[in-house]
Amino acid sequence: MSMLPPASLVVSLAIAPLTLGLLSQDGAGRLHELLTLCLAGMLILAQLLMLWGARALAKGLVSIVLFTLVLVLGSYVLPEYWVPMAIWDALSHGLAAGLSLEAWRPALLATLSLILIAVLIVTRSQPARGGPLLSIMVLCLLAMQQLLNYTNLETSLIRASAGTWTTLTIAVLLAGLGVSSVPSWHSRAVPLKRVLSPPLFLVVLTLLLWHHQKSITEQGLAHQTQAQAQQLGDRLTREIQDHLAAVERFASIWTLFDSPPTQEEWSRQAEPYHRDFRFLLNMAFVDPDSHITRVHPINEINRQALGARLFDAQPAGREAVSRALHEHRIGRTEVIMLLQGVPGIIHYLPITLEDERILGAVAMVISLPVLAERLFSEVDTQAIGLALSQGDRTLASQFPEISLGPWQHEILLDVAGTPLGLTVQPSHAQLIARLPRHPVVSLVTGLTLAYLLYLVLLGYTRLERRHRQVHAANTGLRREIRTRNQLQKEIEWLARHDELTKLPNRRLFMETLEANAEARPLSVMICDVDHFKRINDHQGHLIGDRYLKRLGNIGREVVEMHGGLFARYGGEEFVACLPRVDTAQAESIAETLRHRLQESGLSHHDGQRLTASFGVVTLQDGPLEIATVMQAADEALYRAKAAGRNQVRTAPTLSVIESP
C-alpha cells in the first residue's frame, strides 16, 4: 500500500496531456486521434480503478478497450481477400454516413501500444506474466513512432504513428504502470536480465524488419501503379499511331482518282476508320483552297464545319494546312480550338496525284475531350483520378469524390507527334486494398513470439533452478528406459527373424500366413538347397552360411517385388508366402528364383553350380488349413527332388481343404 499514492499520482498525470490532446483535435478531420485519446483515457481510468481496488470494474473497462483495439488491429492484419476494404468502409458507414475506415482507425503502432498496456493492466504487471517485457515493448513502439515522426519516414499510405499528445499520454500512463510494478519485480527475485535479453533482441529485430518490409511493399506498390499508368499511356499512344498509319493509307486511296470524292464515297470509305478509332471527332476532305467539302460522320456538330475555309476560319492551324496543300507534306497542329468549339489536334495528309497536282488533303481531327473520355473508359474512374494536360494547361480531368492517395504518376503521351501529359493518381482506398499485409503480420507475429519467448525462458529458468537434481535423476531414468526399450525391440526382432540371414523365421512366416487367410488366391512356395550337406562337409560351415545368406538376399529381392514374404523355414529350407498370386505367377516367381540362384556364381567343391528345388501350391477357394497347405507344398518339393532336383513342381490347385 505504500506504493499506491505515488502510483496513483503518476497515472493521474497522464490526464493532463490527454486533456490537452482532446482539446487540440479539430473534430472529424482528426477523428482517429480523438478515438485513440479516448481509448487511452479509458485505460487511465481502468488503472486508477485497479489501484483503488475496483478490479472487476477495471477489467470490464479494459475488455471494452481491448475489443475495439483488436477490431482495429484486424483491419490492419486481415488480407483483402478475407475481408475486403469495402466491408470495413461499409461498417464505418454504419457508424456515421460518409465515414471511411481510414478516417477513424487509430495508428498501427499506437494501437499495438494500447493493446500491450491493456494486457499490463489486466495482468497487474506481474513479472511471471510478462510485465517487464510488455513495458519495454511499449517503450520500443513509442520510440519507433517518434523516429517515424522526426525523420519524416512516415508515409500517408498507412498511418503508423500517432500524434504528439497521444504519444505523450501513452508514455505517462506507462510511467505510472512502471512506478506501481517495478518494486514487485525486484521483490520476486526474477532473473530479468537473463530472460529479457533474447526477447528484447527479437522485439528490436521485429521492428526493424517491419519498417524494412513496409518500405519495400510501399515502394513496390508505387512501382506497380506507375507501370500500370505507363501501360495505359503506351496503349493509347500505340492506338493513335496505328490510326495515323491507317489514315495515311486512307489518303493514298484518293490518289487513284482525278476528282474529289462525293460525300457518299467519302462516308463509305471513312466509316470503318471512325468506327475503330472513337477518339476521332471527324475525318474531313479539304480542297486545295482549304475549304472543308466532305466530312464524316455527318452530325450536328460536324455539319457546322462544312464549307469553312480553314485559312480564314482557323488561323491557329493555317501553317499545318499550308504544309499539306502547298508543300505536299503531312501537317500537324498544336492543341488548338476546333471549329466545333472543343480543343483538339488536327493532322493534314496531302492527296498528291501522279502529275504532282494536289487533289486536296485528309484532315484527321482528334477531339481531346473524346480522347480523354476514351482514356477514362480504360480505368475505374471511381477509384483513380486522371488528368490530361499540355504543359500547365489542363485539357480534361476526372477525379473521384473519395480521397486520393499520395502518389501522382506523370506519363508522357505522344498524340501523333504532339506531347501531352497524363496524370494518374490512384485513390487512397484502392492503394490500401492492394497493399500487402505481411509487414503488419510480421510485426504482430514477432511481438507475440517475443512475449511467448519471455514466458518460456522465465518458466525454464525457474524450473531449472528448482528441479536441477530431479532433472539429472530423470535423465538417468530415461537413459535406462531407452536402453531397455532398445533391448526389448532387439528381443522381439530376434524372436521373429533368423539371425544368420536376417530373414523372417518360421514364426513370422506362420503369422503372415494367418494374417492373409482371406487373401485369394494364396500361394505358398518351399525352397530346398540341393545337396547342401556336401557344402558343409567339403567346404565348411562358414561357406555354407555365406551361401544361405546369398540365397536369402536373392529370395527377398524376388519375392518382395511381388508383395510376398520370404522366410527361412529351417536349415537349408526357405518358404515364401505370396498373397493374391495365382499358380502361374507363383510358378514364374519360383522359376525366377531358381535361375537367379543358378546364375549367382555359387558352386560346390567340384565346380557344380549351386541349385535348389521348389514346391509350389495355390489355395484358390475355401478356408485356410495351414497344415494341409504346407503338406501339399512339401509333396510338390518332394516330386521336384525325385525328378532330379533343380526344378519347380506345382501341386494341384486347392479349393476346399478338409482337415486331415
Side-chain angles (χ1 to χ4, degrees):
M1 295 298 295
S2 60
M3 293 306 300
L4 183 58
S8 301
L9 177 61
V10 176
V11 173
S12 301
L13 288 176
I15 298 177
L18 171 66
T19 304
L20 293 174
L22 291 173
L23 293 176
S24 66
Q25 304 307 316
D26 55 354
R30 304 283 289 177
L31 183 59
H32 57 91
E33 286 287 343
L34 186 63
L35 177 60
T36 308
L37 287 170
C38 289
L39 294 174
M42 294 173 68
L43 291 179
I44 293 172
L45 179 58
Q47 177 63 7
L48 290 174
L49 291 173
M50 187 72 72
L51 293 173
W52 293 337
R55 295 175 181 173
L57 184 58
K59 290 183 177 180
L61 195 59
V62 170
S63 299
I64 297 174
V65 176
L66 271 177
F67 175 79
T68 305
L69 293 173
V70 170
L71 181 65
V72 172
L73 186 60
S75 69
Y76 282 109
V77 172
L78 295 178
E80 178 71 12
Y81 56 86
W82 283 12
V83 183
M85 191 59 61
I87 294 182
W88 291 109
D89 286 336
L91 294 175
S92 303
H93 296 337
L95 299 175
L99 185 65
S100 64
L101 172 68
E102 201 63 22
W104 64 270
R105 181 170 65 173
L108 173 61
L109 298 182
T111 299
L112 291 172
S113 300
L114 292 177
I115 289 176
L116 296 177
I117 288 179
V119 176
L120 269 171
I121 294 174
V122 172
T123 59
R124 299 175 61 191
S125 304
Q126 296 180 10
R129 298 183 183 180
L133 179 65
L134 292 174
S135 301
I136 296 177
M137 288 167 66
V138 175
L139 282 176
C140 291
L141 291 173
L142 293 176
M144 178 58 73
Q145 290 188 67
Q146 292 305 109
L147 177 65
L148 293 176
N149 287 334
Y150 289 146
T151 58
N152 295 322
L153 295 177
E154 175 61 53
T155 175
S156 60
L157 193 55
I158 279 191
R159 189 181 302 111
S161 59
T164 303
W165 290 113
T166 302
T167 304
L168 184 58
T169 301
I170 296 175
V172 177
L173 175 57
L174 180 63
L177 291 172
V179 170
S180 62
S181 303
V182 170
S184 66
W185 298 346
H186 290 288
S187 63
R188 295 178 183 270
V190 178
L192 293 180
K193 183 178 181 180
R194 180 178 178 183
V195 300
L196 273 177
S197 299
L200 181 58
F201 174 77
L202 182 57
V203 169
V204 175
L205 185 64
T206 297
L207 287 172
L208 295 177
L209 176 63
W210 164 76
H211 184 267
H212 176 71
Q213 287 183 327
K214 172 177 172 291
S215 302
I216 293 298
T217 52
E218 289 182 353
Q219 291 174 8
L221 182 58
H223 292 158
Q224 289 179 15
T225 54
Q226 172 74 30
Q228 291 172 353
Q230 187 64 51
Q231 289 175 1
L232 178 64
D234 292 344
R235 186 165 60 250
L236 184 64
T237 298
R238 285 195 302 270
E239 185 176 348
I240 295 174
Q241 291 173 348
D242 291 344
H243 183 259
L244 180 59
V247 173
E248 290 179 359
R249 293 192 297 272
F250 173 76
S252 66
I253 294 175
W254 305 108
T255 61
L256 304 176
F257 300 88
D258 293 333
S259 60
T262 64
Q263 180 62 50
E264 181 180 356
E265 292 173 339
W266 185 261
S267 296
R268 183 171 63 252
Q269 295 291 340
E271 171 57 26
Y273 296 90
H274 184 268
R275 183 175 62 248
D276 293 340
F277 302 94
R278 291 296 183 181
F279 52 79
L280 289 181
L281 186 61
N282 63 58
M283 295 177 66
F285 177 79
V286 181
D287 67 11
D289 194 32
S290 79
H291 287 90
I292 299 177
T293 60
R294 303 288 183 264
V295 68
H296 180 82
I298 298 294
N299 51 34
E300 192 63 33
I301 189 172
N302 288 331
R303 195 173 280 115
Q304 301 174 9
L306 278 173
R309 187 172 185 272
L310 295 176
F311 284 147
D312 301 326
Q314 199 173 61
R318 186 177 301 163
E319 182 180 351
V321 177
S322 177
R323 185 179 295 113
L325 295 178
H326 298 156
E327 301 177 17
H328 299 192
R329 293 188 300 157
I330 297 177
R332 298 183 178 91
T333 69
E334 298 293 331
V335 177
I336 63 174
M337 187 61 65
L338 303 177
L339 298 178
Q340 291 83 352
V342 294
I345 301 172
I346 307 176
H347 279 68
Y348 296 101
L349 292 85
I351 304 175
T352 306
L353 302 180
E354 293 183 357
D355 55 1
E356 299 302 324
R357 285 187 302 111
I358 187 74
L359 183 64
V362 176
M364 183 180 74
V365 183
I366 299 176
S367 170
L368 291 181
V370 176
L371 177 64
E373 182 180 351
R374 168 77 174 84
L375 183 65
F376 297 161
S377 66
E378 294 283 332
V379 299
D380 182 8
T381 53
Q382 298 301 315
I384 297 179
L386 295 174
L388 189 65
S389 61
Q390 184 183 38
D392 297 333
R393 176 187 176 190
T394 300
L395 304 175
S397 63
Q398 185 165 341
F399 292 94
E401 296 181 358
I402 58 178
S403 62
L404 296 175
W407 304 325
Q408 282 189 349
H409 305 303
E410 303 291 338
I411 308 300
L412 183 62
L413 299 180
D414 182 5
V415 182
T418 301
L420 296 181
L422 174 64
T423 301
V424 181
Q425 187 173 8
S427 68
H428 192 272
Q430 185 196 57
L431 293 175
I432 291 295
R434 295 177 57 185
L435 187 68
R437 303 295 196 269
H438 63 267
V440 182
V441 174
S442 299
L443 176 60
V444 176
T445 303
L447 296 179
T448 304
L449 290 177
Y451 179 73
L452 295 177
L453 179 61
Y454 172 86
L455 296 180
V456 170
L457 291 176
L458 183 62
Y460 178 78
T461 302
R462 288 180 170 180
L463 186 64
E464 181 186 28
R465 184 179 57 191
R466 295 176 183 177
H467 303 290
R468 187 171 298 157
Q469 294 180 348
V470 177
H471 175 72
N474 288 340
T475 301
L477 181 60
R478 285 195 295 268
R479 186 183 302 111
E480 183 178 353
I481 291 174
R482 284 196 299 269
T483 303
R484 292 190 177 187
N485 287 339
Q486 185 65 28
L487 291 174
Q488 182 67 26
K489 291 179 181 179
E490 292 179 2
I491 293 172
E492 292 177 356
W493 187 89
L494 289 173
R496 287 176 170 78
H497 290 79
D498 176 55
E499 187 174 2
L500 175 63
T501 62
K502 311 303 180 184
L503 292 176
N505 61 12
R506 180 172 183 168
R507 174 182 293 180
L508 183 54
F509 170 75
M510 290 299 181
E511 292 176 357
T512 304
L513 203 57
E514 292 176 355
N516 291 277
E518 302 300 327
R520 296 294 182 274
L522 177 62
S523 296
V524 174
M525 176 180 69
I526 297 181
C527 168
D528 186 82
V529 180
D530 296 332
H531 304 299
F532 185 74
K533 188 174 182 302
R534 295 180 186 175
I535 297 174
N536 288 333
D537 292 344
H538 294 280
Q539 296 176 271
H541 289 279
L542 292 178
I543 298 299
D545 290 345
R546 184 169 65 85
Y547 282 13
L548 290 177
K549 290 179 181 179
R550 179 60 177 157
L551 175 57
N553 292 334
I554 295 173
R556 173 178 288 173
E557 292 177 5
V558 174
V559 172
E560 290 184 355
M561 186 185 305
H562 296 84
L565 175 77
F566 191 70
R568 187 180 182 188
Y569 200 62
E572 68 271 19
E573 283 191 339
F574 295 84
V575 291
C577 175
L578 299 165
R580 294 180 176 83
V581 173
D582 58 21
T583 302
Q585 290 177 304
E587 187 174 357
S588 175
I589 294 171
E591 286 289 350
T592 302
L593 181 54
R594 185 179 69 84
H595 284 294
R596 288 280 300 276
L597 177 61
Q598 193 171 359
E599 298 170 357
S600 64
L602 304 179
S603 61
H604 291 273
H605 69 285
D606 55 1
Q608 184 180 358
R609 292 185 178 182
L610 184 68
T611 61
S613 301
F614 297 84
V616 178
V617 64
T618 302
L619 177 61
Q620 193 67 38
D621 299 303
L624 172 65
E625 293 290 345
I626 296 179
T628 304
V629 171
M630 297 303 297
Q631 181 179 355
D634 194 60
E635 291 175 355
L637 174 64
Y638 177 77
R639 290 197 301 274
K641 289 184 176 182
R645 292 185 169 84
N646 191 24
Q647 51 189 286
V648 178
R649 286 292 182 267
T650 305
T653 302
L654 302 178
S655 294
V656 179
I657 303 177
E658 300 294 340
S659 299

